[in-house]
Amino acid sequence: MDAIIDLIPPKVAAYIPGLDTSAYVYATGADLINFEKRSLLISAASIVFNPLYWNILARNEYRKKPLQKIFGGSLGATYFFFVTIFSLGILRDFLYERALAEQPHWALLGHPGFKALALVLFGLGQLFVVTSIWALGLVGTYLGDYCGILMSERVTCFPFNVLEDPMYVGSAMAFLGTAIWCESAAGLALSALVWVVYAIALKYEGPFTSMIYEKDAEAKAKREAKEAKETKESKETQETKASVSTPSTPPRKSERLAEAAATAAAATPAAIDNGTATPRRRVAGRKSAIANETLAASPMRVTRSRSKARSEAEGSE
């Protein structure tokens, strides 16, 4: 029977009716945490390693995109993060429970009130984690924005309308609930380490993620401004071409002047051919008439007439 109890996790064994839990080792004071157990240090190392892994690798992916080159795009890199982060999370949880199983129990946490608190913490924590993944989706949860797949808008549904970082908070709550359920002081210490590591990670993740979306918004604004400018220039060019290709309508005054000039050009040759008095002919005719009148009335003409008459008279004599 003792062998069966050793195989059953304490959090399950504590609530099986009639099961003997006398094999549990309880401690007090400084003996509540056994630092000589390697499983405790390995669990602490995995808790610290996981956030470092995805933060360092994700930032490098955002700047240099090595995973996108290897896996052929943003989606392949995101799936790589999903597989590795999810697997490391399962390994971390396994190492955590193994470490608690090798640590002494704290009798104080065996109170039914603490057991109920453990259930509430674990249940709410898992609810926050699962609903966060559901709200963000696989790509949003596993660093798709670091791989170039950005969400179109901020997620405001549950649990993000209750907590700013529900996934980290929920995970820490689940760790704490497990520690209380297992009556482990070492589990409380590891849960505190989980929260400290997450808090530090958020100090770096939050601003960096905000920077990614701010840069994307600036790039979109520049693209829209450039497209609007190109559209405006294209429209102006089309309007200019249309105005050049369409002949302008001459004013009515110009039409009348052109018609008068054409009429005058057509009438002038005919007038000259018919002998009609043109302005130049009228001047010439007027000069001829004046010249005739002058000759008729001039003294020379009279004298010549008298001389001719005298010579005729003398000849007749």
Side-chain angles (χ1 to χ4, degrees):
M1 191 64 177
D2 292 339
I4 297 176
I5 292 175
D6 291 338
L7 294 175
I8 299 175
K11 59 184 177 181
V12 176
Y15 280 87
I16 297 178
L19 186 61
D20 186 7
T21 59
S22 59
Y24 285 3
V25 176
Y26 290 93
T28 58
D31 295 331
L32 284 172
I33 301 178
N34 187 355
F35 291 99
E36 295 180 359
K37 294 292 184 180
R38 293 181 59 188
S39 58
L40 179 66
L41 299 178
I42 293 173
S43 176
S46 68
I47 290 172
V48 173
F49 173 78
N50 283 15
L52 285 175
Y53 165 78
W54 69 64
N55 271 284
I56 293 174
L57 207 65
R59 290 189 178 217
N60 185 62
E61 180 62 26
Y62 175 75
R63 294 190 178 100
K64 299 181 180 179
K65 301 178 176 53
L67 295 176
Q68 296 180 48
K69 295 175 182 177
I70 295 173
F71 296 103
S74 301
L75 199 57
T78 304
Y79 284 143
F80 173 82
F81 278 123
F82 160 65
V83 172
T84 56
I85 293 174
F86 188 79
S87 301
L88 287 172
I90 293 176
L91 177 61
R92 177 198 59 188
D93 294 346
F94 169 76
L95 294 174
Y96 176 72
E97 292 191 3
R98 182 179 177 182
L100 298 190
E102 294 183 356
Q103 290 293 317
H105 294 266
W106 189 9
L108 178 63
L109 298 180
H111 191 277
F114 282 109
K115 295 295 185 180
L117 176 62
L119 288 173
V120 172
L121 288 173
F122 186 83
L124 281 178
Q126 292 298 330
L127 176 65
F128 288 147
V129 171
V130 172
T131 52
S132 296
I133 296 174
W134 179 266
L136 293 173
L138 188 67
V139 173
T141 302
Y142 292 98
L143 307 174
D145 42 13
Y146 285 74
C147 301
I149 307 175
L150 275 64
M151 304 191 71
S152 58
E153 58 185 6
R154 185 181 180 86
V155 178
T156 56
C157 61
F158 183 84
F160 292 93
N161 58 352
V162 177
L163 296 170
E164 183 69 21
D165 301 291
M167 188 171 294
Y168 284 165
V169 173
S171 180
M173 290 173 66
F175 273 95
L176 180 58
T178 302
I180 295 174
W181 182 271
C182 294
E183 305 170 5
S184 175
L188 296 179
L190 291 175
S191 298
L193 178 62
V194 168
W195 179 248
V196 170
V197 170
Y198 281 166
I200 295 173
L202 285 172
K203 291 289 185 181
Y204 292 92
E205 286 183 24
F208 196 84
T209 304
S210 300
M211 180 271 295
I212 292 175
Y213 282 90
E214 286 173 2
K215 281 193 173 183
D216 181 70
E218 291 176 1
K220 284 183 179 178
K222 288 181 180 179
R223 286 196 301 268
E224 291 175 357
K226 184 178 179 180
E227 290 175 358
K229 183 179 179 181
E230 291 177 351
T231 303
K232 183 179 179 181
E233 291 177 352
S234 176
K235 186 176 180 181
E236 291 177 353
T237 303
Q238 292 177 357
E239 291 177 353
T240 303
K241 289 181 178 180
S243 62
V244 169
S245 61
T246 304
S248 57
T249 304
R252 297 182 63 85
K253 185 175 180 181
S254 300
E255 290 180 354
R256 290 196 299 269
L257 292 175
E259 291 177 358
T263 304
T268 300
I272 294 173
D273 294 339
N274 296 331
T276 306
T278 61
R280 293 181 64 87
R281 290 204 170 214
R282 284 198 298 269
V283 171
R286 186 177 181 83
K287 287 183 179 180
S288 300
I290 292 172
N292 293 333
E293 291 176 359
T294 303
L295 290 174
S298 63
M300 184 182 295
R301 184 66 177 264
V302 172
T303 303
R304 283 181 182 175
S305 299
R306 288 178 179 177
S307 299
K308 186 177 180 180
R310 181 179 298 174
S311 61
E312 288 178 354
E314 288 178 355
S316 59
E317 292 179 356

